[in-house]
Amino acid sequence: MRSLVDRLQALSKVIAEICRISGTPDASIGVLHEDKVIYTHNYGYRNVESSIPPDENTIYHIASLSKSFTAASIAILVEVGKLSWDTPVRELLPDFKHVDSTINDEATILDFMSHRTGLAPKNMLWLHEYAGVELRRSETLRMVSYLETVFGFRKQWLYSHWGYAVADQIIQRLSGQSWGAFLAHRLLEPLGLNRTVTEHSSKIDNVARAYMALSDGTPYHLPRPSVEDGVIMEGAVGVQSSVADLLTYSQKVMQAADDQISRNTTSTEGSPLKQVSTLLENHINLSAAPSKLERSYALGWIRTMLPGPLGTVGLNPMYVEAMPLVGKGLKEPRMVYHHQGSLIDYLCSIHLIPSTRTAIVVLTNSMSNNDAADWLGQLLLETVLDNSEPNDYVELARTSVETSNRLWSQMAEELEDARIPDTPVRELSEYVGSYYNVVKDWHMEVWVGEGKLYMCHQDDRKQFYPLEHYNHDTFTWLLTRDQTVRRGLFPVTKTEYYILAFGQGEDGQIDHVLWRHDPSVPEGETFKRLSGSASEKGLPLLASKGKQNVLGAKG
């Protein structure tokens, strides 16, 4: 029987093929096993134009892998008595005022960080071109206050970045430091994570350039995301790190967990990691349906008992009928902690097997035509497990890319099939105006130019979309995959997302538009038309700080 290192080293061609199929120009990979780094592998180029390869110290945006760092920061504040896991958020943040009285009075930061509030995600109201932010950090609580209740409080899991945006507000308020400063001083520096940062600096070298895959897999260079300390969603997606640092971090998490759980305590001598049993325990099942083997969410970590499906918060569930079972043929169940991260230009994954002190980290510098980092992570995991019935990840990469590309033409076909021909349309000037959400911190502007109707968000007319009449008072703005890539947008493949349905008031005049931008709210959101500009109404405007680029729809 080949050794584990031999099995891992034999994967080089498979890794390269998955990256080629997916449209991923580089991948940095590391495996820790039995507390030792036994394997690192680097594929491709961190800078395609200059043919510069990555290494285990190359820095990438790690997107939603940031969540466990933010949760660990909250745990430090719990340990020193600044709050408890049961403290209602309203007692910590007086400006938090949710319209649902139960959430307003009872929701804790643990509820938010375990995604069990039942609140709608509304990702597309803070994302912009090149994944730029459309809201200031100061708008966080105003937005959270009106998120719709999709599920009953603590009844069902619904993934949302807003819980970690609330967490970074709490960290700043209770510590007197910014989220990034607290993270650096209380967590990163004590752990020795010298290649993990929360802000951009020209002094940092060996950084992966950012790309997004065109439909044929060609990498298209985009600006690196500038989400960082001080920008909205910092606590959800604001960390940058390397394979070497994430392996060290994973090792320290598993060591602290072993110590604290075995001694029934909340701290470990010499470690900044506190309350680790709470960070890693089951807070809500991923599915409301009964399951024989556990699939649950902790705090910044997903718990899955193998054999079972992984990749829960990655992109691949959009491109396959069902995620494959990982660990088929195992002699006994194995608990795996894992998470995926998806950010315009970057995809990543992490998997921990505490029973063998194993960690698997995959970082890539492209939003590919599938979630390559997820498939690579699962491939490496099954190689470590050496289970008798492994999945064919090359075939999964191929079929998921085919589905990803097919969805774009399928949306165009669906729109055409449902079109009602020859319906009347009003004078285009009747649709002109600014349409606001309930709390009036986000709006779309509609105007006429050269006989056509156009739309933009937050008064940014540099990034506009032509609207095509569909039927009656409904218009579409469907893009192709390649148009989406060149605009640096998250690749949304839901037809209803590209439909705007204008509606009239009692006087027969257009006074609102309905947009189905959040799949968890199928009825859509209504934006009311207001007269005049945002400044004339005294409404908040997007702070101009260049391109502030952040993450994709899931994570």
Side-chain angles (χ1 to χ4, degrees):
M1 181 181 295
R2 291 185 301 171
S3 71
L4 173 54
V5 174
D6 288 340
R7 297 199 307 271
L8 290 167
Q9 290 177 340
L11 294 176
S12 296
K13 291 183 178 179
V14 177
I15 291 169
E17 182 65 0
I18 290 172
C19 289
R20 184 194 67 78
I21 292 168
S22 305
T24 300
D26 106 331
S28 291
I29 293 167
V31 177
L32 174 92
H33 187 65
E34 295 178 347
D35 261 346
K36 296 180 181 178
V37 177
I38 63 167
Y39 173 76
T40 59
H41 177 76
N42 296 282
Y43 162 83
Y45 300 110
R46 67 174 174 85
N47 183 323
V48 173
E49 292 74 20
S50 300
S51 299
I52 302 174
D55 59 37
E56 63 271 21
N57 292 308
T58 299
I59 290 178
Y60 298 77
H61 288 262
I62 64 170
S64 284
L65 304 195
S66 305
K67 289 180 170 66
S68 72
F69 287 89
T70 297
S73 298
I74 290 288
I76 292 171
L77 293 171
V78 171
E79 184 71 12
V80 298
K82 293 288 187 177
L83 76 160
S84 75
W85 294 114
D86 297 326
T87 305
V89 168
R90 64 181 174 82
E91 294 182 13
L92 306 169
L93 300 172
D95 290 336
F96 173 73
K97 296 180 175 69
H98 197 272
V99 293
D100 183 288
S101 60
T102 301
I103 292 172
N104 186 72
D105 295 342
E106 300 180 25
T108 67
I109 193 55
L110 193 149
D111 293 318
F112 274 103
M113 293 196 303
S114 60
H115 310 290
R116 66 185 192 188
T117 62
L119 296 178
K122 284 193 189 296
N123 283 323
M124 296 308 166
L125 294 195
W126 61 273
L127 288 166
H128 195 45
E129 298 262 348
Y130 303 103
V133 297
E134 297 197 322
L135 295 167
R136 296 171 297 185
R137 184 179 179 275
S138 60
E139 298 295 333
T140 298
L141 296 182
R142 183 197 295 259
M143 283 294 294
V144 173
S145 72
Y146 97 104
L147 298 177
E148 295 95 328
T149 301
V150 177
F151 299 124
F153 181 56
R154 296 177 183 165
K155 297 296 185 183
Q156 196 161 331
W157 180 80
L158 180 59
Y159 190 70
S160 169
H161 302 303
W162 289 105
Y164 286 81
V166 172
D168 71 52
Q169 298 271 330
I170 290 174
I171 290 167
Q172 179 168 318
R173 185 174 182 85
L174 297 186
S175 72
Q177 296 178 287
S178 71
W179 165 81
F182 185 88
L183 207 67
H185 298 151
R186 300 297 296 273
L187 199 62
L188 305 181
E189 291 170 8
L191 288 172
L193 305 183
N194 300 319
R195 298 289 292 170
T196 303
V197 297
T198 60
E199 57 186 18
H200 296 286
S201 171
S202 58
K203 297 178 182 179
I204 300 174
D205 62 353
N206 192 5
V207 177
R209 294 195 90 186
Y211 300 89
M212 194 169 175
L214 295 167
S215 55
D216 65 0
T218 302
Y220 184 83
H221 175 54
L222 291 165
R224 281 182 62 227
S226 60
V227 59
E228 60 179 333
D229 189 26
V231 176
I232 193 168
M233 292 295 175
E234 59 189 3
V237 299
V239 177
Q240 302 171 52
S241 191
S242 67
V243 163
D245 268 16
L246 288 175
L247 290 177
T248 297
Y249 172 63
S250 300
Q251 180 185 46
K252 300 298 185 183
V253 167
M254 290 187 286
Q255 289 174 347
D258 282 354
D259 175 66
Q260 292 176 28
I261 292 170
S262 66
R263 296 191 302 110
N264 192 27
T265 186
T266 57
S267 65
T268 296
E269 185 177 357
S271 173
L273 295 162
K274 312 297 181 184
Q275 304 274 330
V276 177
S277 61
T278 300
L279 293 176
L280 296 181
E281 70 186 15
N282 173 357
H283 295 294
I284 187 167
N285 291 330
L286 297 189
S287 174
S291 175
K292 290 182 179 180
L293 295 177
E294 181 183 343
R295 294 181 66 229
S296 65
Y297 202 88
L299 298 178
W301 297 96
I302 298 171
R303 296 163 50 101
T304 299
M305 188 68 78
L306 301 183
L310 302 177
T312 309
V313 295
L315 303 187
N316 285 326
M318 297 191 297
Y319 306 135
V320 295
E321 187 173 342
M323 290 297 283
L325 286 181
V326 175
K328 298 187 298 292
L330 286 175
K331 293 180 180 179
E332 57 184 30
R334 291 282 193 94
M335 175 60 74
V336 174
Y337 293 83
H338 59 102
H339 217 283
Q340 294 73 45
S342 54
L343 171 66
I344 297 297
D345 317 331
Y346 296 89
L347 294 170
C348 51
S349 69
I350 189 167
H351 297 81
L352 309 185
I353 312 173
S355 62
T356 55
R357 291 279 183 89
T358 300
I360 299 163
V361 175
V362 180
L363 306 179
T364 71
N365 68 338
S366 172
M367 179 159 278
S368 53
N369 282 305
N370 59 18
D371 195 331
D374 178 33
W375 291 141
L376 291 172
Q378 294 189 37
L379 166 71
L380 292 158
L381 178 62
E382 291 208 312
T383 302
V384 170
L385 293 170
D386 200 22
N387 51 296
S388 60
E389 303 174 44
N391 295 301
D392 184 344
Y393 290 100
V394 171
E395 182 59 24
L396 284 164
R398 184 176 292 110
T399 56
S400 54
V401 166
E402 290 172 356
T403 300
S404 172
N405 284 329
R406 186 172 64 250
L407 286 171
W408 294 93
S409 58
Q410 185 175 307
M411 286 192 293
E413 293 168 3
E414 289 175 356
L415 280 172
E416 192 56 39
D417 289 346
R419 184 190 297 272
I420 303 173
D422 302 322
T423 59
V425 60
R426 301 168 187 251
E427 291 291 329
L428 295 184
S429 59
E430 295 188 43
Y431 301 101
V432 170
S434 295
Y435 297 80
Y436 285 81
N437 63 353
V438 170
V439 292
K440 298 182 177 62
D441 62 359
W442 190 97
H443 68 281
M444 69 175 72
E445 183 185 4
V446 177
W447 73 95
V448 176
E450 297 181 351
K452 289 187 175 183
L453 206 59
Y454 295 91
M455 175 267 289
C456 74
H457 301 164
Q458 302 289 69
D459 292 324
D460 185 3
R461 288 202 180 191
K462 292 181 180 179
Q463 314 295 349
F464 62 87
Y465 302 87
L467 299 180
E468 178 188 350
H469 182 243
Y470 188 56
N471 55 55
H472 300 294
D473 290 320
T474 300
F475 292 76
T476 64
W477 55 288
L478 182 63
L479 304 173
T480 66
R481 165 77 189 195
D482 289 354
Q483 288 172 330
T484 298
V485 169
R486 291 188 172 95
R487 283 177 174 263
L489 292 168
F490 185 82
V492 178
T493 51
K494 299 289 186 182
T495 306
E496 62 271 17
Y497 178 77
Y498 300 96
I499 298 175
L500 297 178
F502 292 87
Q504 64 184 30
E506 293 181 358
D507 60 359
Q509 301 301 306
I510 295 295
D511 70 352
H512 68 273
V513 63
L514 181 72
W515 184 26
R516 293 180 173 87
H517 60 86
D518 185 342
S520 71
V521 187
E523 65 273 21
E525 180 173 0
T526 297
F527 298 83
K528 288 283 190 177
R529 183 164 75 172
L530 298 179
S531 300
S533 68
S535 58
E536 288 170 346
K537 303 182 203 73
L539 298 173
L541 292 171
L542 175 64
S544 176
K545 189 183 176 184
K547 280 293 179 186
Q548 300 180 355
N549 300 330
V550 279
L551 132 138
K554 271 200 174 180

